mmCIF file of all heavy atoms in Angstrom:
data_model
loop_
_atom_site.group_PDB
_atom_site.id
_atom_site.type_symbol
_atom_site.label_atom_id
_atom_site.label_comp_id
_atom_site.label_asym_id
_atom_site.label_seq_id
_atom_site.Cartn_x
_atom_site.Cartn_y
_atom_site.Cartn_z
ATOM 1 N N LYS A 88 -8.044 3.086 4.910
ATOM 2 C CA LYS A 88 -7.704 1.693 4.487
ATOM 3 C C LYS A 88 -8.242 0.553 5.193
ATOM 4 O O LYS A 88 -7.900 -0.595 5.019
ATOM 5 C CB LYS A 88 -6.234 1.513 4.319
ATOM 6 C CG LYS A 88 -5.502 1.631 5.712
ATOM 7 C CD LYS A 88 -4.188 1.002 5.557
ATOM 8 C CE LYS A 88 -3.488 1.177 6.928
ATOM 9 N NZ LYS A 88 -2.281 0.355 7.041
ATOM 10 N N ALA A 89 -9.147 0.856 6.204
ATOM 11 C CA ALA A 89 -9.533 -0.301 7.032
ATOM 12 C C ALA A 89 -10.818 -0.907 6.576
ATOM 13 O O ALA A 89 -11.821 -0.209 6.625
ATOM 14 C CB ALA A 89 -9.539 0.060 8.479
ATOM 15 N N VAL A 90 -10.833 -2.151 6.290
ATOM 16 C CA VAL A 90 -12.134 -2.815 5.747
ATOM 17 C C VAL A 90 -13.257 -2.537 6.821
ATOM 18 O O VAL A 90 -14.352 -2.197 6.402
ATOM 19 C CB VAL A 90 -11.777 -4.335 5.546
ATOM 20 C CG1 VAL A 90 -13.123 -5.077 5.208
ATOM 21 C CG2 VAL A 90 -10.804 -4.483 4.376
ATOM 22 N N SER A 127 -4.344 0.299 -5.512
ATOM 23 C CA SER A 127 -5.471 -0.409 -5.334
ATOM 24 C C SER A 127 -5.262 -1.641 -4.435
ATOM 25 O O SER A 127 -4.335 -1.616 -3.627
ATOM 26 C CB SER A 127 -5.994 -0.757 -6.795
ATOM 27 O OG SER A 127 -7.291 -1.392 -6.621
ATOM 28 N N SER A 128 -6.240 -2.515 -4.383
ATOM 29 C CA SER A 128 -6.221 -3.469 -3.378
ATOM 30 C C SER A 128 -6.798 -4.810 -3.956
ATOM 31 O O SER A 128 -7.729 -4.772 -4.776
ATOM 32 C CB SER A 128 -7.105 -2.949 -2.227
ATOM 33 O OG SER A 128 -7.472 -4.074 -1.450
ATOM 34 N N ALA A 129 -6.435 -5.957 -3.377
ATOM 35 C CA ALA A 129 -6.993 -7.206 -3.705
ATOM 36 C C ALA A 129 -8.473 -7.283 -3.297
ATOM 37 O O ALA A 129 -9.227 -7.980 -3.940
ATOM 38 C CB ALA A 129 -6.317 -8.216 -2.894
ATOM 39 N N THR A 130 -8.861 -6.362 -2.483
ATOM 40 C CA THR A 130 -10.206 -6.247 -1.993
ATOM 41 C C THR A 130 -11.185 -6.044 -3.280
ATOM 42 O O THR A 130 -12.439 -6.294 -3.164
ATOM 43 C CB THR A 130 -10.349 -4.991 -0.997
ATOM 44 O OG1 THR A 130 -9.687 -5.424 0.095
ATOM 45 C CG2 THR A 130 -11.750 -4.725 -0.748
ATOM 46 N N TYR A 156 -14.928 0.116 1.693
ATOM 47 C CA TYR A 156 -13.573 0.245 1.368
ATOM 48 C C TYR A 156 -13.223 -0.248 -0.139
ATOM 49 O O TYR A 156 -12.718 0.555 -0.950
ATOM 50 C CB TYR A 156 -12.523 -0.322 2.368
ATOM 51 C CG TYR A 156 -11.060 -0.324 1.895
ATOM 52 C CD1 TYR A 156 -10.259 0.864 1.797
ATOM 53 C CD2 TYR A 156 -10.492 -1.651 1.549
ATOM 54 C CE1 TYR A 156 -9.045 0.719 1.432
ATOM 55 C CE2 TYR A 156 -9.174 -1.685 1.120
ATOM 56 C CZ TYR A 156 -8.387 -0.476 1.143
ATOM 57 O OH TYR A 156 -7.078 -0.527 0.791
ATOM 58 N N TYR A 197 -2.619 -4.461 -4.502
ATOM 59 C CA TYR A 197 -1.747 -5.069 -3.445
ATOM 60 C C TYR A 197 -2.554 -6.156 -2.709
ATOM 61 O O TYR A 197 -3.664 -5.957 -2.430
ATOM 62 C CB TYR A 197 -1.282 -4.107 -2.294
ATOM 63 C CG TYR A 197 -0.863 -2.835 -2.753
ATOM 64 C CD1 TYR A 197 -1.047 -1.733 -1.807
ATOM 65 C CD2 TYR A 197 -0.251 -2.538 -3.940
ATOM 66 C CE1 TYR A 197 -0.611 -0.517 -2.235
ATOM 67 C CE2 TYR A 197 0.327 -1.286 -4.277
ATOM 68 C CZ TYR A 197 0.153 -0.240 -3.361
ATOM 69 O OH TYR A 197 0.527 0.957 -3.682
ATOM 70 N N PHE A 198 -1.793 -7.274 -2.304
ATOM 71 C CA PHE A 198 -2.384 -8.207 -1.364
ATOM 72 C C PHE A 198 -1.938 -7.700 -0.010
ATOM 73 O O PHE A 198 -2.122 -6.577 0.188
ATOM 74 C CB PHE A 198 -2.006 -9.558 -1.801
ATOM 75 C CG PHE A 198 -2.861 -9.963 -3.037
ATOM 76 C CD1 PHE A 198 -2.684 -9.344 -4.267
ATOM 77 C CD2 PHE A 198 -3.922 -10.814 -2.985
ATOM 78 C CE1 PHE A 198 -3.510 -9.503 -5.367
ATOM 79 C CE2 PHE A 198 -4.758 -11.108 -4.091
ATOM 80 C CZ PHE A 198 -4.479 -10.520 -5.339
ATOM 81 N N ASN A 199 -1.539 -8.545 0.875
ATOM 82 C CA ASN A 199 -1.381 -7.929 2.401
ATOM 83 C C ASN A 199 0.186 -7.501 2.590
ATOM 84 O O ASN A 199 0.942 -8.537 2.906
ATOM 85 C CB ASN A 199 -1.938 -8.945 3.337
ATOM 86 C CG ASN A 199 -3.373 -9.051 3.121
ATOM 87 O OD1 ASN A 199 -4.000 -9.218 2.045
ATOM 88 N ND2 ASN A 199 -4.215 -8.869 4.272
ATOM 89 N N PRO A 200 0.444 -6.277 2.703
ATOM 90 C CA PRO A 200 1.800 -6.004 2.981
ATOM 91 C C PRO A 200 2.215 -6.294 4.409
ATOM 92 O O PRO A 200 1.390 -6.291 5.379
ATOM 93 C CB PRO A 200 1.767 -4.445 2.852
ATOM 94 C CG PRO A 200 0.414 -4.009 2.713
ATOM 95 C CD PRO A 200 -0.553 -5.090 2.403
ATOM 96 N N TYR A 218 -5.648 -1.791 12.588
ATOM 97 C CA TYR A 218 -6.685 -2.556 12.273
ATOM 98 C C TYR A 218 -6.194 -3.844 11.539
ATOM 99 O O TYR A 218 -6.891 -4.815 11.521
ATOM 100 C CB TYR A 218 -7.588 -1.900 11.133
ATOM 101 C CG TYR A 218 -8.381 -0.759 11.631
ATOM 102 C CD1 TYR A 218 -7.886 0.537 11.578
ATOM 103 C CD2 TYR A 218 -9.634 -0.995 12.135
ATOM 104 C CE1 TYR A 218 -8.811 1.530 12.153
ATOM 105 C CE2 TYR A 218 -10.446 -0.121 12.545
ATOM 106 C CZ TYR A 218 -9.996 1.299 12.549
ATOM 107 O OH TYR A 218 -10.797 2.402 13.079
ATOM 108 N N ASN A 219 -5.025 -4.020 11.167
ATOM 109 C CA ASN A 219 -4.456 -5.068 10.325
ATOM 110 C C ASN A 219 -3.931 -6.096 11.305
ATOM 111 O O ASN A 219 -3.436 -5.827 12.350
ATOM 112 C CB ASN A 219 -3.411 -4.587 9.333
ATOM 113 C CG ASN A 219 -3.946 -3.732 8.211
ATOM 114 O OD1 ASN A 219 -3.654 -2.602 8.165
ATOM 115 N ND2 ASN A 219 -4.804 -4.332 7.457
ATOM 116 N N LEU A 220 -3.887 -7.411 10.755
ATOM 117 C CA LEU A 220 -3.566 -8.437 11.508
ATOM 118 C C LEU A 220 -2.149 -8.343 12.164
ATOM 119 O O LEU A 220 -1.898 -8.583 13.360
ATOM 120 C CB LEU A 220 -3.719 -9.716 10.781
ATOM 121 C CG LEU A 220 -3.202 -11.006 11.268
ATOM 122 C CD1 LEU A 220 -4.017 -11.434 12.427
ATOM 123 C CD2 LEU A 220 -3.048 -12.149 10.228
ATOM 124 N N LEU A 221 -1.149 -8.009 11.300
ATOM 125 C CA LEU A 221 0.167 -8.167 11.837
ATOM 126 C C LEU A 221 0.635 -7.016 12.878
ATOM 127 O O LEU A 221 1.124 -7.331 13.879
ATOM 128 C CB LEU A 221 1.215 -8.144 10.718
ATOM 129 C CG LEU A 221 1.418 -9.515 10.111
ATOM 130 C CD1 LEU A 221 2.097 -9.422 8.687
ATOM 131 C CD2 LEU A 221 2.014 -10.460 11.046
ATOM 132 N N LEU A 223 -1.421 -5.684 14.852
ATOM 133 C CA LEU A 223 -2.201 -6.187 16.130
ATOM 134 C C LEU A 223 -1.396 -7.282 16.849
ATOM 135 O O LEU A 223 -1.261 -7.231 17.982
ATOM 136 C CB LEU A 223 -3.534 -6.588 15.780
ATOM 137 C CG LEU A 223 -4.497 -5.479 15.352
ATOM 138 C CD1 LEU A 223 -5.833 -5.949 14.745
ATOM 139 C CD2 LEU A 223 -4.996 -4.576 16.633
ATOM 140 N N LEU A 235 -4.817 -11.783 20.490
ATOM 141 C CA LEU A 235 -5.333 -11.468 19.267
ATOM 142 C C LEU A 235 -6.727 -12.024 19.127
ATOM 143 O O LEU A 235 -6.987 -13.240 19.578
ATOM 144 C CB LEU A 235 -4.513 -12.054 18.126
ATOM 145 C CG LEU A 235 -5.017 -11.758 16.762
ATOM 146 C CD1 LEU A 235 -4.419 -10.386 16.360
ATOM 147 C CD2 LEU A 235 -4.683 -12.814 15.740
ATOM 148 N N MET A 236 -7.609 -11.334 18.616
ATOM 149 C CA MET A 236 -8.957 -11.927 18.238
ATOM 150 C C MET A 236 -9.050 -12.475 16.829
ATOM 151 O O MET A 236 -8.587 -11.653 15.877
ATOM 152 C CB MET A 236 -10.096 -10.777 18.429
ATOM 153 C CG MET A 236 -10.205 -10.011 19.688
ATOM 154 S SD MET A 236 -10.215 -11.173 21.283
ATOM 155 C CE MET A 236 -11.875 -11.868 21.061
ATOM 156 N N VAL A 237 -9.116 -13.733 16.579
ATOM 157 C CA VAL A 237 -9.189 -14.342 15.331
ATOM 158 C C VAL A 237 -10.646 -14.273 14.831
ATOM 159 O O VAL A 237 -11.563 -14.796 15.392
ATOM 160 C CB VAL A 237 -8.750 -15.746 15.480
ATOM 161 C CG1 VAL A 237 -8.930 -16.461 14.160
ATOM 162 C CG2 VAL A 237 -7.294 -15.799 15.907
ATOM 163 N N PHE A 238 -10.757 -13.573 13.649
ATOM 164 C CA PHE A 238 -12.078 -13.277 13.196
ATOM 165 C C PHE A 238 -12.576 -14.470 12.303
ATOM 166 O O PHE A 238 -12.515 -14.335 11.094
ATOM 167 C CB PHE A 238 -12.084 -11.948 12.339
ATOM 168 C CG PHE A 238 -11.734 -10.738 13.128
ATOM 169 C CD1 PHE A 238 -11.050 -9.794 12.628
ATOM 170 C CD2 PHE A 238 -12.208 -10.557 14.351
ATOM 171 C CE1 PHE A 238 -10.746 -8.499 13.240
ATOM 172 C CE2 PHE A 238 -11.931 -9.399 15.137
ATOM 173 C CZ PHE A 238 -11.120 -8.458 14.605
ATOM 174 N N ALA A 249 -9.298 -17.441 7.626
ATOM 175 C CA ALA A 249 -9.173 -16.939 6.384
ATOM 176 C C ALA A 249 -7.696 -16.797 5.813
ATOM 177 O O ALA A 249 -6.820 -16.707 6.542
ATOM 178 C CB ALA A 249 -9.876 -15.474 6.489
ATOM 179 N N ILE A 250 -7.697 -16.919 4.473
ATOM 180 C CA ILE A 250 -6.394 -17.023 3.760
ATOM 181 C C ILE A 250 -6.092 -15.577 3.070
ATOM 182 O O ILE A 250 -6.885 -15.101 2.464
ATOM 183 C CB ILE A 250 -6.441 -18.066 2.824
ATOM 184 C CG1 ILE A 250 -6.650 -19.435 3.366
ATOM 185 C CG2 ILE A 250 -5.196 -18.144 1.860
ATOM 186 C CD1 ILE A 250 -7.202 -20.449 2.375
ATOM 187 N N ARG A 251 -4.806 -15.100 3.370
ATOM 188 C CA ARG A 251 -4.381 -13.986 2.680
ATOM 189 C C ARG A 251 -3.016 -14.222 2.084
ATOM 190 O O ARG A 251 -2.392 -15.137 2.618
ATOM 191 C CB ARG A 251 -4.311 -12.748 3.553
ATOM 192 C CG ARG A 251 -5.643 -12.335 4.205
ATOM 193 C CD ARG A 251 -6.499 -11.547 3.107
ATOM 194 N NE ARG A 251 -7.890 -11.173 3.670
ATOM 195 C CZ ARG A 251 -8.887 -11.985 3.721
ATOM 196 N NH1 ARG A 251 -8.912 -13.175 3.284
ATOM 197 N NH2 ARG A 251 -9.931 -11.485 4.146
ATOM 198 N N TYR A 253 0.537 -12.580 2.100
ATOM 199 C CA TYR A 253 1.395 -11.597 2.834
ATOM 200 C C TYR A 253 2.587 -11.430 2.029
ATOM 201 O O TYR A 253 3.286 -12.324 1.845
ATOM 202 C CB TYR A 253 1.570 -12.022 4.178
ATOM 203 C CG TYR A 253 0.291 -12.234 5.046
ATOM 204 C CD1 TYR A 253 -0.489 -13.364 4.973
ATOM 205 C CD2 TYR A 253 -0.339 -11.057 5.815
ATOM 206 C CE1 TYR A 253 -1.586 -13.459 5.758
ATOM 207 C CE2 TYR A 253 -1.427 -11.124 6.422
ATOM 208 C CZ TYR A 253 -2.230 -12.311 6.461
ATOM 209 O OH TYR A 253 -3.413 -12.437 7.099
ATOM 210 N N VAL A 290 -4.890 -17.362 9.022
ATOM 211 C CA VAL A 290 -4.597 -16.497 10.099
ATOM 212 C C VAL A 290 -3.860 -17.391 11.198
ATOM 213 O O VAL A 290 -2.817 -16.804 11.724
ATOM 214 C CB VAL A 290 -5.953 -15.920 10.827
ATOM 215 C CG1 VAL A 290 -5.707 -15.260 12.100
ATOM 216 C CG2 VAL A 290 -6.629 -15.084 9.825
ATOM 217 N N ARG A 313 -15.447 -11.083 10.641
ATOM 218 C CA ARG A 313 -15.492 -9.557 10.591
ATOM 219 C C ARG A 313 -16.371 -9.325 9.215
ATOM 220 O O ARG A 313 -16.165 -9.918 8.288
ATOM 221 C CB ARG A 313 -14.205 -8.985 10.397
ATOM 222 C CG ARG A 313 -14.147 -7.552 10.435
ATOM 223 C CD ARG A 313 -12.593 -7.144 10.503
ATOM 224 N NE ARG A 313 -11.830 -7.595 9.330
ATOM 225 C CZ ARG A 313 -10.569 -7.265 9.159
ATOM 226 N NH1 ARG A 313 -9.944 -6.582 10.097
ATOM 227 N NH2 ARG A 313 -9.951 -7.785 8.075
ATOM 228 N N ASP A 316 -15.283 -9.411 5.222
ATOM 229 C CA ASP A 316 -14.150 -10.369 4.937
ATOM 230 C C ASP A 316 -14.470 -11.484 4.058
ATOM 231 O O ASP A 316 -15.613 -11.854 4.165
ATOM 232 C CB ASP A 316 -13.589 -11.009 6.313
ATOM 233 C CG ASP A 316 -12.586 -10.106 6.906
ATOM 234 O OD1 ASP A 316 -12.279 -9.072 6.480
ATOM 235 O OD2 ASP A 316 -12.131 -10.510 8.122
ATOM 236 N N VAL A 317 -13.568 -11.961 3.282
ATOM 237 C CA VAL A 317 -13.752 -13.066 2.395
ATOM 238 C C VAL A 317 -12.724 -14.206 2.698
ATOM 239 O O VAL A 317 -11.833 -14.037 3.514
ATOM 240 C CB VAL A 317 -13.737 -12.713 0.899
ATOM 241 C CG1 VAL A 317 -14.702 -11.714 0.453
ATOM 242 C CG2 VAL A 317 -12.209 -12.249 0.633
ATOM 243 N N LEU A 320 -7.852 -14.486 -0.449
ATOM 244 C CA LEU A 320 -7.292 -13.413 -1.317
ATOM 245 C C LEU A 320 -5.898 -13.762 -1.613
ATOM 246 O O LEU A 320 -4.867 -13.452 -0.709
ATOM 247 C CB LEU A 320 -7.448 -11.983 -0.826
ATOM 248 C CG LEU A 320 -8.861 -11.443 -0.669
ATOM 249 C CD1 LEU A 320 -8.860 -10.087 0.040
ATOM 250 C CD2 LEU A 320 -9.367 -11.255 -2.187
HETATM 251 O O1 GDU B 2 -7.637 -8.769 14.672
HETATM 252 C C1 GDU B 2 -7.556 -9.323 13.524
HETATM 253 C C2 GDU B 2 -7.383 -8.597 12.356
HETATM 254 C C3 GDU B 2 -7.414 -9.451 11.155
HETATM 255 N N1 GDU B 2 -7.719 -10.750 11.229
HETATM 256 C C4 GDU B 2 -7.869 -11.522 10.069
HETATM 257 O O2 GDU B 2 -6.569 -11.533 9.368
HETATM 258 C C5 GDU B 2 -6.757 -11.390 7.920
HETATM 259 C C6 GDU B 2 -6.093 -10.194 7.422
HETATM 260 O O3 GDU B 2 -6.943 -9.067 7.921
HETATM 261 P P1 GDU B 2 -6.221 -7.515 7.800
HETATM 262 O O4 GDU B 2 -7.224 -6.629 8.437
HETATM 263 O O5 GDU B 2 -4.752 -7.539 8.170
HETATM 264 O O6 GDU B 2 -6.158 -7.297 6.204
HETATM 265 P P2 GDU B 2 -7.324 -7.467 5.176
HETATM 266 O O7 GDU B 2 -7.076 -8.556 4.359
HETATM 267 O O8 GDU B 2 -8.717 -7.370 5.746
HETATM 268 O O9 GDU B 2 -7.070 -6.066 4.376
HETATM 269 C C7 GDU B 2 -5.835 -5.621 3.982
HETATM 270 O O10 GDU B 2 -5.520 -6.023 2.736
HETATM 271 C C8 GDU B 2 -6.397 -5.956 1.795
HETATM 272 C C9 GDU B 2 -5.906 -6.587 0.504
HETATM 273 O O11 GDU B 2 -5.896 -7.891 0.717
HETATM 274 C C10 GDU B 2 -6.875 -4.393 1.709
HETATM 275 O O12 GDU B 2 -6.307 -3.804 0.730
HETATM 276 C C11 GDU B 2 -6.828 -3.597 2.955
HETATM 277 O O13 GDU B 2 -6.450 -2.290 2.757
HETATM 278 C C12 GDU B 2 -5.891 -4.167 3.968
HETATM 279 O O14 GDU B 2 -6.278 -3.503 5.313
HETATM 280 C C13 GDU B 2 -8.243 -11.423 7.692
HETATM 281 O O15 GDU B 2 -8.565 -12.641 7.374
HETATM 282 C C14 GDU B 2 -8.868 -10.879 9.003
HETATM 283 O O16 GDU B 2 -10.197 -11.437 9.231
HETATM 284 C C15 GDU B 2 -8.015 -11.309 12.422
HETATM 285 O O17 GDU B 2 -8.317 -12.477 12.556
HETATM 286 N N2 GDU B 2 -8.064 -10.590 13.516
#
Side-chain angles (χ1 to χ4, degrees):
K88 63 157 179 174
V90 169
S127 189
S128 161
T130 290
Y156 166 72
Y197 314 151
F198 285 68
N199 290 53
Y218 286 96
N219 293 114
L220 177 66
L221 280 169
L223 286 165
L235 181 87
M236 304 309 290
V237 172
F238 296 144
I250 302 164
R251 297 288 182 273
Y253 296 89
V290 175
R313 188 172 60 178
D316 272 356
V317 297
L320 288 172

